[in-house]
């Protein structure tokens, strides 16, 4: 998965256009459902297990990308 | 762990008649789609797990004489009283004999497989000849008590009771168990005011949903696979896989991770929600699961798990009891 494809996946999850600079706190739809959907996506599409503590530390979309950076091309 | 000498004879389940969807939430349709639950059966305030288990047990007692039952096990997180054991109250209501042992166990989402494990160990050891296992829970929130802060939990839960007859039988197929606990997650799901530690605190469930989900993804699929290995089966050998009906996302993820097909993987959550302890029994009954090679996987609050692989040859599934 490319970094751009990843951003598109996250945009679909939160149902709005985001970029790497977008702050999670600014995404009104970012809630526990999105967090779980993100964990599922990382596991299913990228084979990465994302831990809740590491997810909680994320403040931007770029931080989310960093959780799975080894699987992005 | 292999237990030989016990067999499940019959499974029954009962649900309240009242249905609750998600219309009371502003984004109810989105929530319903995400969790894979269209509606739940919700018990009125005066109906407890023991009432639903009682209703589930009655049809079984028409076939299995009351005086043949020498052990009653009741598992719930919502007993009639903490003193006395609800099993004693049910013993009287069901008209069981004085020669029948009766005790309660506290366990949540892994209750059904835990109950079968306890019962089968008692039966295989010669401690009883016939066990009536009752597993029931009420996890729904009364309509008038629902608050915006309940959004993470309220849409998930429904109510149900179940009853299962197990017999000692030296010719029964062996039962293969994998049980376990990770107590470090005890506060992932907790009702603070449910006991004496925080007496007077809220009696609503507090859930760390993301942690629960991550725990389930990490721990449960390997447990299911270990139970299959104990039985010497591959996943494709299973006729039915019935996991705790937690929510649609978790069920889909477990199915994907263990490589089961949609046909094998029983999904009874859409119209009943997560009923906690009895959810596996309810899914077996509501989806009319055929006897065969079954893999049952209980997991959840505790955090706790118990998986069971066995040939359910001859198990009789009773029709779902719809309470008035």
């Amino acid at each position: 998965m490319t970094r751009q494809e990843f951003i598109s996946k996250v945009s679909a999850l939160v149902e709005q256009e985001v970029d790497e600079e977008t702050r999670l706190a600014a995404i009104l739809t970012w809630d526990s459902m999105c967090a779980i959907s993100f964990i599922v996506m990382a596991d299913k599409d990228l084979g990465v297990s994302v831990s809740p503590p590491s997810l909680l530390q994320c403040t931007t979309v770029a931080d989310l990308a960093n959780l799975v950076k080894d699987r992005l091309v | 762990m292999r237990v030989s000498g016990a067999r499940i004879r019959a499974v029954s389940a009962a649900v309240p008649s009242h249905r609750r969807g998600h219309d009371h939430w502003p984004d109810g349709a989105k929530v319903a789609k995400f969790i894979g639950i269209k509606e739940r059966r919700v018990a009125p305030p005066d109906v407890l797990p023991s009432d639903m288990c009682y209703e589930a047990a009655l049809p079984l007692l028409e076939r299995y004489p009351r005086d043949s039952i020498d052990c009653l096990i009741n598992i719930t997180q919502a007993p009639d009283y903490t003193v006395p054991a609800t099993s004693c109250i049910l013993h009287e209501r069901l008209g069981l004999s004085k020669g029948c042992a009766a005790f309660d166990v506290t366990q949540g989402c892994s209750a059904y497989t835990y109950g079968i494990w306890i019962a089968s160990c008692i039966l295989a050891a010669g401690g009883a000849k016939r066990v009536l296992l009752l597993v029931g829970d009420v996890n729904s929130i009364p309509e008038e008590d629902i608050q915006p802060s309940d959004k993470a939990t309220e849409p998930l839960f429904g109510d149900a009771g179940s009853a299962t007859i197990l017999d000692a039988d030296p010719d029964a197929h062996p039962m293969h168990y994998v049980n376990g606990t990770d107590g470090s997650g005890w506060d992932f799901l907790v009702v603070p005011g449910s006991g004496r530690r925080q007496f007077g605190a809220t009696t609503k469930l507090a859930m760390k949903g993301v942690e629960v989900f991550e725990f389930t993804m990490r721990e449960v699929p390997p447990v299911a696979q270990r139970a299959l290995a104990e039985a010497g089966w591959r996943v494709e050998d299973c006729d039915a896989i019935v996991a705790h009906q937690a929510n649609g996302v978790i069920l889909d993820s477990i199915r994907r991770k263990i490589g089961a097909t949609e046909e094998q993987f029983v999904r009874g959550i859409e119209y009943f929600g997560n009923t906690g302890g009895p959810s596996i029994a309810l899914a077996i009954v509501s989806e009319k699961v055929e006897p065969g090679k079954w893999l049952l996987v209980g997991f959840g609050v505790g955090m706790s798990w118990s998986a069971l692989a066995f040939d359910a040859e001859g198990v009789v599934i009773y029709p779902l009891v719809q309470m008035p």
Side-chain angles (χ1 to χ4, degrees):
Chain A
M1 186 182 291
T2 66
R3 212 167 173 89
Q4 192 49 50
E5 285 168 338
F6 174 83
I7 301 297
S8 298
K9 287 262 185 189
V10 174
S11 295
L13 274 183
V14 300
E15 298 173 341
Q16 72 178 69
E17 285 302 315
V18 298
D19 58 33
E20 296 207 25
E21 314 307 320
T22 306
R23 297 184 61 79
L24 300 181
I27 302 173
L28 293 177
T29 54
W30 181 260
D31 57 8
S32 61
M33 284 197 291
C34 281
I36 288 171
S37 297
F38 179 81
I39 293 174
V40 172
M41 187 267 282
D43 181 63
K44 188 175 172 182
D45 298 343
L46 297 163
V48 177
S49 295
V50 173
S51 73
S54 65
L55 188 55
L56 284 172
Q57 286 175 357
C58 293
T59 58
T60 65
V61 172
D63 294 336
L64 296 179
N66 284 335
L67 292 176
V68 298
K69 65 178 186 300
D70 291 346
R71 297 301 180 94
L72 299 180
V73 293
Chain B
M1 176 200 325
R2 173 189 166 115
V3 176
S4 293
R7 125 180 354 264
I8 299 177
R9 288 279 185 213
V11 183
S12 171
V15 290
S17 55
H18 180 67
R19 299 161 192 261
R20 183 190 291 167
H22 305 290
D23 292 345
H24 51 291
W25 293 108
D27 55 351
K30 181 183 171 188
V31 171
K33 187 178 176 194
F34 179 72
I35 62 179
I37 298 169
K38 287 184 177 167
E39 63 180 28
R40 292 77 40 76
R41 298 298 184 92
V42 176
D46 60 342
V47 171
L48 298 180
S50 64
D51 299 311
M52 294 184 286
C53 288
Y54 172 81
E55 295 289 341
L58 289 181
L60 301 182
L61 297 179
E62 291 176 15
R63 168 72 180 80
Y64 301 93
R66 286 168 164 78
D67 60 4
S68 70
I69 295 166
D70 52 2
C71 182
L72 168 63
I73 304 171
N74 177 60
I75 311 186
T76 186
Q77 298 176 116
D80 288 21
Y81 305 95
T82 50
V83 181
T86 303
S87 56
C88 296
I89 299 170
L90 283 161
H91 173 274
E92 193 272 334
R93 286 181 72 186
L94 291 167
L96 303 182
S97 76
K98 286 188 179 175
C100 176
F103 61 97
D104 282 10
V105 173
T106 303
Q107 192 59 281
C109 304
S110 57
Y112 191 64
T113 37
Y114 253 92
I116 295 172
W117 173 65
I118 294 166
S120 62
C121 287
I122 290 171
L123 292 163
K129 289 180 177 166
R130 173 164 288 164
V131 173
L132 174 59
L133 169 67
L134 304 176
V135 180
D137 264 323
V138 167
N139 290 308
S140 66
I141 300 174
E143 204 112 10
E144 60 275 18
D145 291 345
I146 298 172
Q147 303 293 327
S149 56
D150 299 323
K151 191 184 164 191
T153 54
E154 193 281 329
L156 290 170
F157 294 109
D159 307 323
S162 71
T164 303
I165 292 280
L166 299 99
D167 280 353
D169 182 352
D171 298 325
H173 294 292
M175 306 171 97
H176 304 274
Y177 294 95
V178 174
N179 299 328
T181 310
D182 181 355
S184 69
W186 72 266
D187 63 345
F188 288 179
L189 289 143
V190 61
V191 179
S194 59
R196 296 186 180 215
R197 180 63 69 186
Q198 296 184 60
F199 189 75
T202 179
T203 55
K204 284 183 177 175
L205 177 71
M207 178 174 74
K208 296 181 178 177
V210 178
E211 283 83 350
V212 170
F213 181 80
E214 192 270 342
F215 160 86
T216 305
M217 287 305 88
R218 175 168 32 88
E219 297 289 351
V220 175
V223 167
Q225 285 160 336
R226 280 171 51 208
L228 290 174
E230 292 262 343
W233 301 349
R234 297 163 302 173
V235 68
E236 53 266 40
D237 295 328
C238 290
D239 296 307
I241 300 168
V242 193
H244 163 53
Q245 306 286 297
N247 63 56
V249 184
I250 283 178
L251 288 173
D252 287 343
S253 298
I254 293 173
R255 184 181 71 76
R256 176 172 50 80
K257 279 185 168 270
I258 66 174
T261 64
E262 288 186 9
E263 290 70 30
Q264 287 175 299
F265 204 79
V266 176
R267 199 177 163 104
I269 196 168
E270 194 173 6
Y271 293 99
F272 298 101
N274 177 341
T275 59
S279 80
I280 291 175
L282 176 59
I284 289 170
V285 170
S286 71
E287 304 313 304
K288 302 180 177 68
V289 177
E290 295 282 339
K293 289 182 174 176
W294 288 4
L295 171 65
L296 310 182
V297 190
F299 59 89
V301 57
M303 302 302 283
S304 165
W305 58 86
S306 174
L308 161 62
F310 73 115
D311 190 331
E313 181 187 10
V315 175
V316 178
I317 312 301
Y318 278 63
L320 182 64
V321 177
Q322 312 265 352
M323 294 175 67

